[in-house]
Amino acid sequence: MLKKKETVAMLLAGGQGSRLYTLTEGIAKPAVLFGGKYRIIDFPLSNCINSGIDTVGVLTQYQPLVLNEYIGNGQPWDLDRANGGVTVLPPYQANKKADWYKGTANAIYQNLNFIARYDPDYVVILSGDHIYKMDYNKMLEFHKQKGADATIAVLEVSLEEASRFGIMNTDDDNRIYEFEEKPPKPKSTKASMGIYIFSKEKLFKYLIEDEADPNSSNDFGKNIIPAMLAAGEKMYAYPFSGYWKDVGTLSSLWEANMDLIGENPVFDLKDNKNRIFSRNNAQPPQYIGPDAKVVNAIITEGCEIYGIVENSVLFNSVKVARGAYIKDSVIMNNVEIGEGAQINYSIIDSDTKIGAGASVGCDKENAKDVTVIGSGIELKAGTVIKAGEMVNAAYIENLK
């Protein structure tokens, strides 16, 4: 029999991430590479184990192969446990009927049996597509102290930004009295981070009722939270003050990578407090050639640099030939950049080859959008890719 757990975490990792375009054509958004040696899902998984939560269900759906392989038995995050640990939870057939997850609430509803096996007092609901460090145990202590039925983590944003978020309106004790989804005229600046703690009995009650409603969107923000507020349940906003970034767009993913660079980075991954763990194969040390120049950049193991790299993040096994120049860019695993190639304000996905003398993007000051080259693309020598272009296999076919 499984040992009772005080807390179980459920990590929603099935999103398509359509606004990342070519970067998520073949993988789920939480599997997208970040910061030189991580994937986005490393952050909530590491936060769980750093918070003392050792039982995590990862709900997958869209393009799950890479994500499933990456999570494996959970060993890199100390989640390879005989009792608990990490469990991948794809949609499955039940009662002779197979259902895709229809919404965030429905995804959790379909896995109530998984939660019930551990009979937890509390359930933490997390999103798999944010970059941040957070001690969920502090939020849980807040939840207990308030005697809450549900607690929602909130981040203070500017009044101008507030209309892009779900906004929690609270009293002086942080009790939520109203929730507004992307209000045109926000009454407060407490933005939901998509991180929830529920007392298990209340979560089960409202998920079961929501599933029985044929008109529901089966979504936490649209249905569960409003239903609980309408019923007068005790719901509180937990204020979070650290770094948090929704990397749902190409520009925000680029910005989050840039936040890691510099003597005093906005988000410091070198700080081993609440360390972020990842699954990485052993790589040889990076090599910086005698004529190479590296300024304000992250260069990961296995890289060979003979050209110039400035204000950029390079993942493992990137090769930069002599005379090549990279600026303001994110270069993912196993990319080869030929002699004299120019890369500016771009994201280059894994296993890509940039031919000698090719030009990708332009100076950030003169570009409207970040330029993106998809995985496995080969640009011939001298190819010019204009600023803001999105290059995938179909784009290359059109060049022929």
Side-chain angles (χ1 to χ4, degrees):
M1 182 171 176
L2 294 173
K3 181 181 176 183
K4 175 180 170 59
K5 300 285 185 177
E6 182 188 35
T7 308
V8 166
M10 300 294 280
L11 176 50
L12 296 161
Q16 181 176 355
S18 57
R19 291 179 299 162
L20 292 179
Y21 301 99
T22 187
L23 296 183
T24 52
E25 282 183 355
I27 63 172
K29 181 178 172 183
V32 169
L33 294 164
F34 176 80
K37 60 192 307 180
Y38 306 96
R39 294 184 187 268
I40 296 170
I41 199 168
D42 287 328
F43 291 82
L45 285 177
S46 299
N47 288 338
C48 283
I49 202 64
N50 290 334
S51 304
I53 299 172
D54 65 6
T55 305
V56 184
V58 180
L59 287 69
T60 62
Q61 181 158 281
Y62 172 79
Q63 294 282 15
L65 181 60
V66 171
L67 191 59
N68 292 353
E69 289 179 344
Y70 184 73
I71 294 170
N73 67 355
Q75 185 272 332
W77 308 273
D78 193 24
L79 288 169
D80 52 336
R81 307 292 181 96
N83 185 69
V86 66
T87 303
V88 175
L89 300 168
Y92 62 94
Q93 185 168 322
N95 298 324
K96 298 182 181 179
K97 180 182 177 185
D99 277 329
W100 290 110
Y101 296 143
K102 292 177 285 187
T104 54
N106 174 259
I108 303 298
Y109 170 82
Q110 288 198 41
N111 290 284
L112 291 183
N113 286 340
F114 171 81
I115 298 172
R117 294 175 73 207
Y118 298 97
D119 189 27
D121 300 313
Y122 308 101
V123 181
V124 182
I125 311 292
L126 304 169
S127 173
D129 51 10
H130 300 141
I131 302 296
Y132 66 112
K133 290 185 180 183
M134 183 176 181
D135 186 347
Y136 303 135
N137 195 50
K138 290 183 178 178
M139 183 175 171
L140 180 59
E141 289 303 313
F142 176 91
H143 179 89
K144 293 176 183 177
Q145 178 192 343
K146 297 295 185 183
D149 298 308
T151 299
I152 300 168
V154 296
L155 186 75
E156 288 286 351
V157 297
S158 67
L159 194 61
E160 293 75 24
E161 289 181 298
S163 59
R164 297 194 294 109
F165 292 91
I167 297 297
M168 302 294 163
N169 299 322
T170 68
D171 63 18
D172 293 339
D173 192 38
N174 281 315
R175 183 162 179 172
I176 302 167
Y177 65 82
E178 185 181 30
F179 169 69
E180 296 182 287
E181 181 66 43
K182 298 181 180 179
K185 294 182 178 179
K187 299 174 187 175
S188 85
T189 53
K190 293 179 178 177
S192 170
M193 298 166 63
I195 299 169
Y196 313 116
I197 294 180
F198 291 92
S199 297
K200 187 198 77 172
E201 300 305 328
K202 293 291 185 180
L203 176 65
F204 277 43
K205 166 182 163 58
Y206 283 93
L207 285 178
I208 291 167
E209 290 178 359
D210 180 71
E211 189 65 22
D213 180 0
N215 298 315
S216 175
S217 300
N218 305 124
D219 184 83
F220 277 100
K222 294 176 182 176
N223 306 108
I224 302 298
I225 293 169
M228 292 184 73
L229 282 172
E233 303 290 4
K234 293 181 71 175
M235 305 183 72
Y236 284 84
Y238 173 75
F240 176 75
S241 58
Y243 181 93
W244 179 86
K245 190 86 167 181
D246 181 347
V247 287
T249 64
L250 291 166
S251 60
S252 63
L253 179 64
W254 180 88
E255 288 166 5
N257 275 279
M258 295 300 111
D259 285 344
L260 306 176
I261 296 173
E263 188 175 344
N264 297 299
V266 178
F267 186 42
D268 189 2
L269 286 179
K270 300 188 296 293
D271 177 9
N272 279 329
K273 184 180 180 182
N274 295 324
R275 182 182 163 195
I276 302 301
F277 302 94
S278 66
R279 183 185 296 281
N280 284 297
N281 295 323
Q283 298 286 339
Q286 59 269 73
Y287 175 75
I288 310 298
D291 300 320
K293 183 180 179 182
V294 175
V295 180
N296 193 40
I298 292 175
I299 309 295
T300 310
E301 295 94 334
C303 289
E304 294 180 29
I305 312 299
Y306 299 94
I308 298 173
V309 179
E310 184 177 343
N311 202 51
S312 296
V313 176
L314 273 59
F315 287 70
N316 70 64
S317 302
V318 172
K319 292 180 173 58
V320 180
R322 289 178 177 82
Y325 180 55
I326 301 170
K327 183 181 179 183
D328 295 330
S329 294
V330 178
I331 314 296
M332 296 183 180
N333 299 334
N334 304 309
V335 172
E336 295 182 17
I337 297 173
E339 290 190 12
Q342 304 277 316
I343 312 290
N344 272 287
Y345 187 38
S346 298
I347 298 174
I348 312 295
D349 205 351
S350 302
D351 304 311
T352 295
K353 293 183 179 181
I354 308 296
S359 175
V360 178
C362 72
D363 288 341
K364 185 176 184 299
E365 294 74 19
N366 300 317
K368 184 177 180 181
D369 295 304
V370 62
T371 307
V372 181
I373 310 295
S375 177
I377 297 298
E378 183 169 352
L379 297 185
K380 294 181 179 179
T383 301
V384 175
I385 303 297
K386 294 180 181 178
E389 292 289 329
M390 190 84 53
V391 178
N392 56 14
Y395 184 104
I396 296 299
E397 279 297 314
N398 290 334
L399 287 180
K400 294 179 180 178

